[in-house]
Amino acid sequence: MTIENRNGEAEEKKGLSFIELGVIGDLEQGKNGGRLQTRFPPEPNGYLHIGHAKAICLDFGLAAKYGGTCNLRFDDTNPVKEEVEYVDSIMEDIRWLGFQWANVYYASDYFPQLWDFAVRLIKEGKAYIDEQTSEEIARQKGTTTLPGIESPYRNRPWSESLTLFERMNTGEIPEGKMVLRAKIDMASPNMHFRDPIIYRVVNHPHHRTGTTWKAYPMYDFAHGESDYFEGVTHSWCTLEFVPHRPLYDFFIDWLKEGKDLDDNRPRQTEFNKLNLSYILLSKRNLLLLVKEGLVQGWDDPRMPTLCGFRRRGYSPESIRNFVDKIGYTTYDALNDFALLESAVREDLNTRATRVSGVVNPVKLVITNYPEGEEEGTEEILEAVNNPEDPSAGTHPIRFGRELWIEREDFMEDAPKKFFRLTPGREVRLKNAYIVKCTGCTKDADGNVTEIQCEYDPETKSGLPGANRPVKITIHWVSCKYGVPAEVRMYDRLWTTENPRDALADLQERTNCSTLEAMKQLMNPDSLRVLPNCYVEEYVTQLPPMSYLQFQRIGYFNIDKDSTPDKPVFNRTVGLRDTWGKLNQK
Ligand code: ATP
Ligand code: MG
C-alpha cells in the first residue's frame, strides 16, 4: 500500500505490518500530541519465551524506529506466582535481545492510585462489594444469549461497600469471601461488562510491597489504568484481549472523568500470538516442565525460553530476524519451527568460527608420515575462521601422524558411490594432505579400531600438487593435541507438531494429568549426549558462548557446564534441515 508522508510524497510502505502502518498514521495525524509511547508488560511469573520476543520486538522496535519511548512494566498484580528471580531474568533477556527500556515501572507502583480510583467508584455508586462465592457469581453471569442476574449486594449503600473494601485490605477478610465488582451492566452482550470483579483478596506477600496490601486489582482494572498513568499511547497485546478492549476503554473513560478529551489516551491494538510447530509455549507449561524435572531448568537448551535459546547458541540477531520475517497479523497461525532454524543458520553462517570437532571418533594413522614429526608447531599451519567473512582471520592448527576422524567417514566394504575412506580410495584431509586408505584394524568383535592410510607430501593445501581432484574433504583432529569433549545433540522436545492441542486432546481422551500427557508426548531422543568427542585445541581458548561451526556437522556453542579439562558443546542446529525429511519417511 502507499501512504502520503508529511511532504506529500508518495512513499512505498510495502511489507510494513498493520501495527506499524497504524503508528505512521497516528504520528502523521498528530494524535497524542505526536507522541509514541509503548510498554512491554510481562508478568514476572516465569522466564520469557520466544513468543515474548515477538511482543518485545514490536514494543521496543517500533518505539525506537519512530523516535518514541518504550518502558518495561512488570504486571505484578498476582503475588502468588511472582518472584524477583523472574524480574531479573526478564531484564537480562530483553537486554540480550538488544533492546533497552527508557524506564522500569511496576503495576504495584500504582496500587495507591488504583485503590483511590476504586474508592472513588464506590463513592460514586459505580462499584460494590459482593459477598457471594465465586461459584455463585459465575452462575449469575448468564450466557452470550441470556442476560446475567444481578447480585443481591449490587445496590447496597456505598458506605457499607467502602467499609468492607477497607477491611478487604487489612487481612480481616479471608480470600474468596468478598470481591469488589464494577457496577456496569449484567445484560451487556459483552460478558466482560457483566459487573467484572476488579479487586480480590490475596493473602500472600508481594515480592515488592510485602504485606502492605491484601486487596489486589484484577488485570482488567490494572492494565489500562497503568497505561493511562504512564502516558502510553499505543498498547499492543495479543488477540485474546480483543474482547477486553471495550472494557479497557470504558475504565479509562471513568478514570479520565471527562477530562482531556483531545484524544490523548492509550489505545489497545491486538496482534497474533506466536505459535510454533513442535514448540510448547506458555509459562504455566514451561514452569511445570521445570518443576517436575522433565527438563534441566529454564535455560535447558531444549526450552523455547530466551535463556534456553541463548544457551543453545541462538544469536539474538537470528531471533529478531525470524520475528521480522513472520510479521504481525490479526489471525492465529502455526509458524514452522524450521523457519526459526533457518534464520539461525543464516545468521550463524556469517558469524560462527569454523573449527574441527569429531563427534564419533576413530583413529586414522598415516603410516608413511615420519614418526615423531608434526606440523603447526614450529611453522604455522592455519585454518580459515569464516569463509563468509575474511576479516574473521585464521587460527593455528596442528597436524600429525595420528588423527581422529569420524567413524562414518570410513567403510571397509563400500559401495561404488561411497566417496569417503575405503581401501584404495583417496580423500583430502581439510587444510592438510590427500591421503589414500590402505586398510584397517578390527577388534575381536569386528569393530574397526584403527584405519591406516598413506599421504602424498606433494598435495599439502596451498602447494601446486594440491589441485589433484578428489571427491571429498573430511575433517580431523590431531590425536596428540585434540581435547576430549562432551557434545550434546539436541532435538525437538515434542514429537507432535502442535503440542498445545495434542496435550489438551490427550488429557480429554484419557482423563490424565497435564504432566502425564507431557511425558507421553515428549521426544525421548530430545537430548543425546556424546561423551567421547574431540575438538581441536584452539576451541578451548575461546570464551564461553562463542558461536562455532563444527565443519560438516553443524553449529555449536560452548556450554556453561564446560571445565578446562572437558569442554561441553551444545548443538545449536544442524547445517541443513534434515528433520522434516526424516519425519516424512
Ligand atoms: P504465557 O501465555 O506464555 O504465560 P503471558 O501472555 O501470560 O504468556 P505475559 O507476561 O502476560 O505472558 O506477556 C507479556 C507480553 O507478551 C504480553 O503483551 C503478551 O501479550 C505477550 N506475549 C505472550 N505470549 C506471546 C506470544 N506467544 N506471542 C506474542 N506475544 C506474546
Ligand atoms: Mg499473562
Side-chain angles (χ1 to χ4, degrees):
M1 78 182 282
T2 302
I3 284 191
E4 296 278 306
N5 72 12
R6 274 189 231 284
N7 304 323
E9 298 159 42
E11 206 182 329
E12 266 308 293
K13 297 291 183 199
K14 258 200 198 135
L16 301 188
S17 69
F18 74 102
I19 302 227
E20 185 163 353
L21 292 173
V23 167
I24 295 170
D26 288 350
L27 290 175
E28 284 177 354
Q29 288 170 34
K31 260 195 193 162
N32 306 300
R35 282 186 320 114
L36 170 63
Q37 185 174 325
T38 64
R39 84 293 169 263
F40 173 63
E43 186 181 350
N45 62 352
Y47 282 63
L48 296 181
H49 53 61
I50 183 90
H52 294 112
K54 182 170 172 173
I56 291 171
C57 290
L58 190 70
D59 295 327
F60 287 95
L62 286 191
K65 186 167 173 186
Y66 292 95
T69 47
C70 178
N71 297 310
L72 171 59
R73 184 205 312 142
F74 289 102
D75 234 328
D76 54 350
T77 55
N78 183 5
V80 180
K81 294 183 177 168
E82 296 159 3
E83 287 173 30
V84 175
E85 175 195 346
Y86 300 139
V87 169
D88 295 342
S89 75
I90 287 169
M91 296 207 258
E92 185 183 354
D93 289 346
I94 296 171
R95 283 203 206 95
W96 176 71
L97 266 187
F99 296 106
Q100 183 57 52
W101 46 88
N103 301 289
V104 181
Y105 296 129
Y106 294 82
S108 54
D109 291 341
Y110 310 127
F111 285 167
Q113 280 147 284
L114 291 168
W115 176 267
D116 291 347
F117 180 34
V119 166
R120 196 186 98 204
L121 295 184
I122 294 172
K123 288 183 176 167
E124 289 173 359
K126 291 175 177 162
Y128 62 94
I129 297 288
D130 197 336
E131 296 178 47
Q132 300 182 100
T133 63
S134 54
E135 292 77 25
E136 278 167 325
I137 293 175
R139 258 200 308 277
Q140 293 165 355
K141 230 38 295 195
T143 64
T144 41
T145 48
L146 268 183
I149 298 166
E150 293 188 354
S151 161
Y153 296 98
R154 195 173 202 260
N155 295 313
R156 74 193 315 168
W158 67 258
S159 54
E160 209 174 286
S161 282
L162 188 57
T163 309
L164 292 173
F165 189 43
E166 272 155 8
R167 288 181 55 205
M168 267 174 68
N169 203 34
T170 56
E172 290 166 69
I173 310 290
E175 287 184 20
K177 281 282 173 230
M178 281 179 200
V179 290
L180 182 67
R181 296 177 73 181
K183 194 192 285 187
I184 309 181
D185 179 4
M186 286 307 288
S188 170
N190 183 332
M191 302 294 283
H192 296 286
F193 277 71
R194 297 189 180 177
D195 289 11
I197 297 171
I198 56 176
Y199 262 90
R200 83 262 195 228
V201 174
V202 182
N203 272 315
H204 191 283
H206 187 279
H207 70 102
R208 296 189 75 234
T209 58
T211 52
T212 309
W213 301 90
K214 295 281 190 295
Y216 286 90
M218 302 294 287
Y219 175 89
D220 278 330
F221 195 69
H223 197 90
E225 286 76 344
S226 304
D227 284 347
Y228 180 76
F229 296 144
E230 283 166 16
V232 167
T233 58
H234 293 73
S235 183
W236 296 312
C237 63
T238 39
L239 289 173
E240 72 272 25
F241 291 101
V242 169
H244 297 249
R245 193 196 324 137
L247 189 58
Y248 176 101
D249 291 331
F250 185 89
F251 280 142
I252 289 175
D253 284 336
W254 267 1
L255 190 56
K256 279 169 26 139
E257 289 184 292
K259 278 190 307 227
D260 214 4
L261 286 179
D262 58 353
D263 231 12
N264 197 349
R265 60 183 293 156
R267 276 191 184 73
Q268 176 180 308
T269 307
E270 308 83 9
F271 61 91
N272 64 326
K273 260 197 163 157
L274 174 67
N275 292 306
L276 265 180
S277 60
Y278 298 97
I279 294 273
L280 182 66
L281 295 178
S282 124
K283 285 182 280 195
R284 189 174 52 84
N285 284 322
L286 300 181
L287 180 65
L288 193 64
L289 288 173
V290 172
K291 286 243 154 100
E292 296 294 336
L294 297 184
V295 294
Q296 285 148 19
W298 287 99
D299 70 346
D300 185 307
R302 291 166 297 178
M303 288 282 271
T305 48
L306 295 181
C307 57
F309 281 139
R310 175 164 69 233
R311 185 167 169 196
R312 172 112 169 221
Y314 283 30
S315 60
E317 291 81 0
S318 59
I319 294 178
R320 296 209 308 263
N321 291 344
F322 164 72
V323 167
D324 224 37
K325 270 187 199 143
I326 56 169
Y328 300 84
T329 69
T330 54
Y331 47 88
D332 278 317
L334 188 65
N335 290 113
D336 193 346
F337 182 63
L339 210 59
L340 174 58
E341 291 196 315
S342 100
V344 173
R345 275 188 207 100
E346 202 178 308
D347 186 62
L348 292 185
N349 184 39
T350 65
R351 66 178 78 236
T353 304
R354 271 56 168 178
V355 295
S356 276
V358 175
V359 297
N360 187 13
V362 65
K363 193 178 269 185
L364 176 74
V365 179
I366 308 169
T367 50
N368 64 338
Y369 194 87
E371 272 200 64
E373 199 166 305
E374 56 191 43
E375 286 165 69
T377 306
E378 311 260 290
E379 80 291 10
I380 293 170
L381 195 61
E382 288 183 321
V384 169
N385 283 337
N386 188 342
E388 305 290 321
D389 176 11
S391 72
T394 60
H395 68 265
I397 55 173
R398 298 208 244 204
F399 183 79
R401 191 170 189 270
E402 298 193 348
L403 309 171
W404 297 115
I405 63 165
E406 298 291 346
R407 200 165 272 280
E408 289 78 23
D409 283 339
F410 173 78
M411 196 184 265
E412 196 180 8
D413 294 311
K416 252 197 150 62
K417 286 239 147 79
F418 185 82
F419 297 119
R420 290 168 276 171
L421 282 174
T422 186
R425 188 154 294 161
E426 285 189 332
V427 300
R428 170 167 289 286
L429 297 173
K430 180 89 183 167
N431 296 314
Y433 299 93
I434 290 175
V435 294
K436 182 187 241 170
C437 183
T438 53
C440 68
T441 312
K442 288 186 274 189
D443 65 14
D445 299 327
N447 300 313
V448 174
T449 52
E450 187 187 291
I451 301 158
Q452 293 92 29
C453 67
E454 289 180 355
Y455 85 125
D456 178 349
E458 302 306 312
T459 59
K460 187 169 179 179
S461 293
L463 291 183
N467 291 331
R468 202 162 87 216
V470 278
K471 282 258 195 284
I472 202 157
T473 300
I474 67 171
H475 63 279
W476 51 272
V477 168
S478 148
C479 289
K480 183 168 173 193
Y481 294 102
V483 179
E486 177 179 312
V487 167
R488 298 176 182 167
M489 306 291 266
Y490 294 103
D491 206 333
R492 295 164 199 218
L493 195 54
W494 304 99
T495 49
T496 157
E497 189 177 41
N498 188 338
R500 187 192 61 185
D501 290 358
L503 276 175
D505 185 56
L506 187 60
Q507 281 179 266
E508 200 180 300
R509 276 189 295 114
T510 64
N511 210 8
C512 67
S513 65
T514 311
L515 182 62
E516 238 353 276
M518 279 178 165
K519 284 181 180 164
Q520 286 188 44
L521 294 174
M522 274 177 83
N523 175 7
D525 299 319
S526 62
L527 169 59
R528 231 167 7 109
V529 177
L530 307 176
N532 302 311
C533 308
Y534 289 96
V535 293
E536 59 174 292
E537 54 178 338
Y538 170 68
V539 181
T540 59
Q541 299 159 20
L542 296 173
M545 308 294 294
S546 295
Y547 301 117
L548 304 173
Q549 185 195 96
F550 286 5
Q551 309 208 43
R552 299 173 66 224
I553 311 265
Y555 292 100
F556 288 81
N557 87 332
I558 306 174
D559 190 76
K560 64 176 191 185
D561 286 348
S562 295
T563 62
D565 296 340
K566 186 131 194 188
V568 175
F569 299 91
N570 298 314
R571 184 177 65 181
T572 311
V573 65
L575 291 180
R576 261 163 251 100
D577 181 18
T578 50
W579 206 89
K581 285 192 203 97
L582 290 178
N583 276 278
Q584 278 158 21
K585 276 187 192 161

